[in-house]
Amino acid sequence: MKMRNHTAVTEFLLMGLSHTKGLENVLFVFFLAFYLLTLLGNLLILLAILISSNLHTPMYFFLGNLAVFDIFFPSVSSPKMMFYLMGQSRTISYQGCASQVFFYHFLGCTECFLYTVMAYDRFAAICHPLRYTVIMNHSVCTIMTLGTWMGSCLHASVLTFLIFKSPYCGPNEVGHLFCDIPVVLPLACADTSLAQTVSFTNVGVVSLTCFLLILTYTCIVISILKISSSEGRRRAFSTCSAHLTSILLFYGPVVFIYLRPASSPWLDSVVPVLNNIITPSLNPLIYALRNRDVKLALRKALIPGVHSCGA
């Protein structure tokens, strides 16, 4: 590749988090526990959706997609992070670093789009209940899902190309546990103003656009308040509050990392790790523990003989 010919750096060194020397074993146990919790929780969500015909609806179709991406998102960097914390090699190849940046932003952007699609689904279900099955038919759900993947792939490709088209001639020490834009781009030995501007604009536009679209929740809340049944209002608020909680957990770190005017090495290192490890493990708890249908489907899958009358 042409990109490879004009760079002297063939690998990067992952230096880890600052001020954590001697805590490698503690961090390893911490990361491993949350990673296993993420895998188990999201696999259980997928199992519940796949085996229960009651959950074969657009809302749970998108929730199943979210569970898949919550499995892959931490898997981009967690194995390498834990390998390093175990005292093994802290090097990562040039291509491996570029792959981490691509898949981190591809999966992250897909989740961003997916939250927006899920908000539209709730908007259609609550504000237009009689037309819901027409608005959110199988073809629409499929097109929306494919659109999130394609848009995210384009987003991640542009960012990765701009970051790694710059020559890297040393130093090659990445002050983090995995490769990401804020810690890799400063190592380039060329003018990176274009890459910085585009990455800031790209991430900012995607995040802001999705966030503004999610503000359709204003209409959703108004419609919920008009529901005459208290049980209907409770169920609607339960579903929407779970989604809003996940959105806040997802968008908070994104704004903090990429859209702050000033950089902080400590925050640039710690916040992505928390976003990468903890947030995906919380989504199954947020959606499953507050959702009677998911809990019932899991009980029926894991405990033979449980029927809907036992809910």
Side-chain angles (χ1 to χ4, degrees), residues 230-251:
S230 59
E231 175 64 17
R233 285 198 302 271
R234 187 194 65 78
R235 288 178 64 88
F237 268 123
S238 177
T239 302
C240 293
S241 63
H243 187 214
L244 282 172
T245 302
S246 294
I247 288 171
L248 292 175
L249 288 172
F250 179 81
Y251 276 99

Side-chain angles (χ1 to χ4, degrees), residues 8-212:
V9 171
T10 58
E11 61 183 23
F12 292 94
L13 288 175
L14 300 175
M15 304 308 295
L17 301 176
S18 57
H19 309 298
T20 58
K21 187 174 179 59
L23 298 176
E24 287 82 4
N25 291 335
V26 175
L27 290 175
F28 171 77
V29 173
F30 178 78
F31 292 158
L32 179 62
F34 272 98
Y35 184 55
L36 293 178
L37 182 63
T38 298
L39 296 181
L40 177 62
N42 285 290
L43 285 173
L44 286 175
I45 290 286
L46 279 176
L47 176 65
I49 293 172
L50 289 173
I51 67 169
S52 177
S53 58
N54 293 333
L55 303 184
H56 294 174
T57 63
M59 182 180 81
Y60 293 107
F61 172 73
F62 294 129
L63 181 57
N65 274 268
L66 181 64
V68 170
F69 285 106
D70 276 340
I71 290 173
F72 285 113
F73 188 52
S75 299
V76 171
S77 57
S78 293
K80 183 66 179 177
M81 286 164 52
M82 290 184 285
F83 190 67
Y84 155 70
L85 290 170
M86 289 172 62
Q88 303 299 317
S89 173
R90 50 172 74 181
T91 62
I92 183 171
S93 67
Y94 186 88
Q95 294 83 357
C97 188
S99 297
Q100 278 196 345
V101 171
F102 173 81
F103 284 107
Y104 185 76
H105 285 273
F106 167 65
L107 295 169
C109 185
T110 303
E111 287 208 26
C112 182
F113 288 150
L114 198 54
Y115 280 125
T116 307
V117 170
M118 291 170 74
Y120 179 74
D121 172 72
R122 292 300 82 206
F123 170 78
I126 295 172
C127 298
H128 303 284
L130 299 180
R131 298 175 54 223
Y132 176 65
T133 55
V134 176
I135 295 173
M136 298 301 294
N137 59 59
H138 178 73
S139 298
V140 170
C141 292
T142 302
I143 291 171
M144 283 183 166
T145 303
L146 291 176
T148 63
W149 296 348
M150 294 173 64
S152 302
C153 185
L154 177 63
H155 165 81
S157 297
V158 170
L159 290 182
T160 306
F161 172 76
L162 286 174
I163 302 308
F164 288 94
K165 80 178 184 67
S166 300
Y168 288 85
C169 353
N172 66 339
E173 296 180 349
V174 176
H176 202 359
L177 287 167
F178 61 91
C179 294
D180 194 14
I181 295 173
V183 290
V184 172
L185 193 56
L187 301 178
C189 49
D191 180 25
T192 60
S193 57
L194 176 62
Q196 288 176 333
T197 302
V198 173
S199 61
F200 181 88
T201 304
N202 204 345
V203 173
V205 167
V206 169
S207 301
L208 183 61
T209 302
C210 292
F211 188 75
L212 289 176

Side-chain angles (χ1 to χ4, degrees), residues 205-227:
V205 167
V206 169
S207 301
L208 183 61
T209 302
C210 292
F211 188 75
L212 289 176
L213 289 173
I214 289 171
L215 289 182
T216 53
Y217 264 104
T218 304
C219 300
I220 295 176
V221 171
I222 294 173
S223 296
I224 290 176
L225 293 175
K226 292 180 181 179
I227 298 176

